[in-house]
Amino acid sequence: MELRDWQKQLKDKVINAVKEGFLVALNSPTGSGKTLFSLLIGLNTKGRVIFVVRTHNEYFPVYRDVKKIDPSLKFSFVIGKPSACPFATKDVDTEDINCKYCEIKNAIEVKIDKSPFEKLKELKENAIKEGFCPYYSLLESAKEADIITITYPYFFIEKYLSLLDINLEEYFIVIDEAHNIDRVSEIEERTLSEFILSMAIKQSKSEEVRRILDRLIKELKTLTYQDEKYIKLDKVPELSDEELSLLVDEYEELRKEAIKSKSVSRIYLGSVIRFYATYSTGNFIPFSFSNKIVLKTLELNQYYNLLNDENLSILLMSGTLPPKEYLEKVLGISRKILYIDVEKEVKKKVTGSYQCKIAIDVTSKYDLRSEAMWKKYSSYLLKIYYQARNHVLAVFPSYQIMEKVMSYVNVNKILENEGTRIDDVIKIVKESRQKYIIAGVGRGKITEGVEITDNDRSLISDVVLVGVPYPPEDDYMKLLSKKISEKLGGKEKEYLIMIPALITVKQAIGRSIRNINDTALVWLLDKRYDSLWWKKNLNCFNSTKIRL
Ligand code: SF4
């Protein structure tokens, strides 16, 4: 197998660093071949690899590259119960599935002889008639594999990691899309909303339980605000121990009934119970966000303990990895890090290119927001759409701004919402064969995951940043900033606001560059991009300034 130049140049350096106990951080653009590179490093150091990815969609490239390296390597993947259980619908929570009463709770040995998606489909089709459980079978088979592919919870969250029952020291651990690891705490966040409570009322059989839930809705409404930012709350709707135990009894009944009827869909009462269980740990603070209550934690270091374990061989990689100081100061990684920016290291571009245009007559700055500004943005979008040679990806700082601006844009469009599924977006765009504006929010599902390609080339020709996607300086941000301010040495704004926004912008741009031959136009629609910091970090010194 022929390696690319950068892979040949850096292979020994990375292998030596791993052997010397460094945590390696690899910043290399999408489409540059880092999956294959990291697998080779792992096989050359530990011989076995755990590949940690964000979503199941990312299992396939790992499988494909393992087969390229050596078809005889044993590949495996682990998938949570909601996707693996043949009785479950996808929206269930793991806890809703009560395996205790399941008749097919047997594990068989699974050989992955086709793509993970096809294999899972086959396992689910055969599970009931052959009497085995796909979830437990995949979990068991992983123990014997050379390469195990898992999602973030199975590495960062202790209760899931322990299910793997393996010794991490025997593996080389690759954490892919590692720019996301500052968000792993979100896996354990819990939400209470009117929707969840109303659905729980519909599903509950007990009059008493319905009465309790109804009261919770009323209290929730008095506590929350509609703003799309985190506003700290001093309390959550009250629930006594007796009331909680009534909810738990009802939930257990519903779980039992669901598995006995061999059809498990989401049991909303479970979400209510888990919200209160999380709140009672004392590690989470309630915030209002868009009329909901979200429990968030400031104790972020607990998620990164494993990264600091010097007995573990770890590679963090991404096309938009934050700088080394960010890994040290914000994530608290204290072990020695070898940080490699591939393009800087080999002094050469290893993927496609883009050209920037900066609009200097618009901004999403809070005090300059107005209907006139949204109309101006919509005019820009229409202009860009009509000149684009292919699809346009538009990224907004918030859902509210997206809805306002896009209400004036009447062309083929897809707007992200909380229920958006990436696969559906890709299907619509690919099947229609017409040009689309795909609109999403910063660090949302679309900017992080949409991959519209044909023959490995991106079908997104234009990326539009509508405003700067700074995270809001809300109560959560202020509390976090206060908590880690000592480590940040006065650079709170850069670490908590600027760098996250930069990662969002780079991620969005990355959607249009999937291959060394891809080229794209990047429209930075905010005068604040016309600064040295942005131009330097986006490598946009040759940008053109534009006006409507
Ligand atoms: S098949 Fe049975 S044992 Fe397996 S996850 Fe579903 S309920 Fe649990």
Side-chain angles (χ1 to χ4, degrees):
M1 187 183 42
E2 184 60 20
L3 293 185
R4 298 186 195 183
D5 287 349
W6 77 265
Q7 293 169 329
K8 282 187 222 157
Q9 263 173 276
L10 296 178
K11 194 169 161 232
D12 289 342
K13 182 173 182 169
V14 175
I15 288 175
N16 290 337
V18 172
K19 287 183 177 161
E20 285 166 26
F22 281 87
L23 176 144
V24 179
L26 188 77
N27 189 35
S28 184
T30 318
S32 59
K34 49 185 183 310
T35 301
L36 187 114
F37 180 74
S38 60
L39 286 166
L40 286 175
I41 301 293
L43 293 168
N44 276 286
T45 49
K46 292 284 187 167
R48 299 176 87 184
V49 182
I50 296 181
F51 214 99
V52 190
V53 299
R54 214 172 47 87
T55 67
H56 297 151
N57 289 344
E58 289 143 37
Y59 283 12
F60 177 71
V62 185
Y63 168 80
R64 183 193 56 202
D65 285 358
V66 168
K67 293 294 153 198
K68 261 191 222 164
I69 294 170
D70 179 354
S72 70
L73 285 168
K74 266 195 189 168
F75 171 88
S76 79
F77 63 95
V78 171
I79 221 152
K81 287 184 198 173
S83 298
C85 176
F87 304 124
T89 58
K90 260 199 166 175
D91 64 337
V92 295
D93 188 282
T94 299
E95 312 267 331
D96 296 337
I97 304 169
N98 189 346
C99 299
K100 199 165 115 192
Y101 300 100
C102 179
E103 292 162 7
I104 58 167
K105 197 186 168 189
N106 310 306
I108 58 160
E109 201 188 321
V110 178
K111 186 167 174 273
I112 311 297
D113 48 6
K114 42 178 73 78
S115 79
F117 179 71
E118 284 174 300
K119 190 69 196 179
L120 181 66
K121 195 163 164 254
E122 178 189 291
L123 290 172
K124 286 174 81 171
E125 276 165 8
N126 297 337
I128 299 172
K129 63 174 187 283
E130 292 177 17
F132 69 86
C133 165
Y135 167 74
Y136 285 107
S137 301
L138 287 168
L139 205 54
E140 272 304 303
S141 304
K143 289 180 192 152
E144 304 303 320
D146 301 307
I147 284 100
I148 310 175
T149 318
I150 56 175
T151 46
Y152 280 12
Y154 284 91
F155 180 75
F156 289 105
I157 309 291
E158 173 55 34
K159 73 173 177 187
Y160 294 112
L161 174 62
S162 62
L163 294 171
L164 294 178
D165 193 21
I166 52 173
N167 179 4
L168 291 177
E169 291 180 22
E170 292 173 5
Y171 295 83
F172 180 68
I173 301 159
V174 180
I175 300 174
D176 196 14
E177 302 287 349
H179 60 278
N180 283 304
I181 61 174
D182 59 348
R183 297 170 73 184
V184 287
S185 63
E186 290 175 15
I187 299 168
E188 293 202 302
E189 286 178 4
R190 295 287 173 256
T191 299
L192 192 68
S193 67
E194 187 181 351
F195 174 75
I196 289 173
L197 289 162
S198 306
M199 291 303 287
I201 291 175
K202 271 195 199 152
Q203 292 176 331
S204 297
K205 298 199 170 110
S206 147
E207 187 63 37
E208 186 64 5
V209 167
R210 286 203 293 264
R211 194 189 49 74
I212 296 167
L213 296 171
D214 197 48
R215 181 182 55 73
L216 293 182
I217 291 185
K218 289 191 185 105
E219 279 188 44
L220 178 101
K221 283 184 178 166
T222 64
L223 289 171
T224 54
Y225 308 89
Q226 67 172 26
D227 307 53
E228 247 182 88
K229 62 179 183 181
Y230 293 108
I231 300 168
K232 187 174 175 295
L233 302 176
D234 294 326
K235 58 177 187 172
V236 300
E238 292 216 4
L239 188 70
S240 69
D241 289 348
E242 295 79 54
E243 287 174 322
L244 180 61
S245 77
L246 277 175
L247 301 194
V248 171
D249 290 348
E250 173 83 355
Y251 180 51
E252 284 312 315
E253 273 306 306
L254 293 171
R255 284 176 80 215
K256 198 163 148 187
E257 248 176 53
I259 194 64
K260 288 201 163 167
S261 70
K262 297 189 168 53
S263 167
V264 190
S265 44
R266 181 167 172 194
I267 306 173
Y268 286 86
L269 200 50
S271 306
V272 180
I273 293 165
R274 284 186 288 280
F275 175 89
Y276 281 95
T278 301
Y279 185 58
S280 70
T281 63
N283 288 330
F284 286 76
I285 302 168
F287 293 89
S288 162
F289 188 93
S290 280
N291 292 325
K292 298 173 214 148
I293 301 180
V294 184
L295 297 177
K296 292 179 79 67
T297 183
L298 298 172
E299 305 301 326
L300 303 185
N301 283 357
Q302 58 176 318
Y303 298 103
Y304 308 121
N305 288 339
L306 284 179
L307 301 182
N308 274 327
D309 184 340
E310 300 203 346
N311 296 315
L312 300 185
S313 302
I314 298 178
L315 172 80
L316 303 180
M317 64 179 197
S318 166
T320 57
L321 202 64
K324 187 178 175 200
E325 299 72 43
Y326 184 94
L327 301 176
E328 291 166 340
K329 293 182 172 153
V330 179
L331 304 187
I333 300 178
S334 52
R335 70 190 280 193
K336 46 189 186 178
I337 300 175
L338 173 71
Y339 191 99
I340 298 182
D341 188 322
V342 171
E343 291 191 332
K344 278 191 190 144
E345 194 83 13
V346 299
K347 298 188 178 61
K348 194 165 124 187
K349 277 206 81 61
V350 296
T351 191
S353 55
Y354 58 88
Q355 231 192 325
C356 297
K357 293 183 185 287
I358 302 178
I360 51 171
D361 54 350
V362 276
T363 181
S364 65
K365 204 163 181 251
Y366 196 78
D367 44 5
L368 294 173
R369 292 178 182 182
S370 66
E371 217 50 42
M373 188 63 79
W374 308 142
K375 279 189 187 161
K376 232 170 161 180
Y377 270 124
S378 67
S379 304
Y380 263 117
L381 276 168
L382 285 169
K383 224 170 133 177
I384 294 166
Y385 174 79
Y386 286 115
Q387 65 76 52
R389 63 170 201 278
N390 226 322
H391 303 297
V392 176
L393 173 68
V395 179
F396 295 79
S398 71
Y399 286 107
Q400 274 166 4
I401 298 180
M402 177 177 78
E403 274 151 25
K404 286 204 159 108
V405 174
M406 291 305 287
S407 68
Y408 297 111
V409 180
N410 294 314
V411 293
N412 293 331
K413 59 184 177 182
I414 297 176
L415 267 60
E416 177 178 0
N417 60 45
E418 283 180 27
T420 299
R421 292 189 45 211
I422 291 296
D423 294 346
D424 296 339
V425 175
I426 296 171
K427 201 164 164 238
I428 295 169
V429 173
K430 280 195 147 182
E431 280 178 5
S432 94
R433 297 181 175 274
Q434 292 184 28
K435 196 156 75 175
Y436 268 86
I437 294 186
I438 305 160
V441 293
R443 294 195 91 175
K445 285 186 204 155
I446 285 185
T447 36
E448 286 291 327
V450 82
E451 184 143 351
I452 303 175
T453 53
D454 188 24
N455 282 331
D456 260 3
R457 299 282 303 267
S458 176
L459 294 178
I460 293 172
S461 61
D462 292 64
V463 176
V464 189
L465 274 304
V466 180
V468 187
Y470 288 130
E473 292 184 54
D474 54 21
D475 288 353
Y476 178 69
M477 188 62 79
K478 283 179 197 150
L479 288 168
L480 186 63
S481 165
K482 201 167 148 203
K483 184 161 172 78
I484 55 176
S485 66
E486 233 173 72
K487 285 193 272 175
L488 302 186
K491 285 182 157 184
E492 287 85 343
K493 186 159 186 221
E494 175 155 6
Y495 285 117
L496 298 178
I497 307 282
M498 305 289 284
I499 291 176
L502 175 67
I503 290 171
T504 305
V505 174
K506 284 186 169 180
Q507 268 300 312
I509 296 172
R511 300 292 116 205
S512 60
I513 313 280
R514 315 308 287 172
N515 180 298
I516 190 131
N517 299 313
D518 280 333
T519 55
L521 274 180
V522 174
W523 304 80
L524 302 165
L525 303 188
D526 197 305
K527 56 186 173 192
R528 289 173 290 177
Y529 288 113
D530 189 21
S531 75
L532 190 63
W533 192 90
W534 277 104
K535 287 183 189 168
K536 184 176 118 220
N537 284 297
L538 289 176
N539 209 357
C540 266
F541 283 113
N542 295 328
S543 56
T544 326
K545 287 184 198 176
I546 53 167
R547 289 173 178 278
L548 257 191

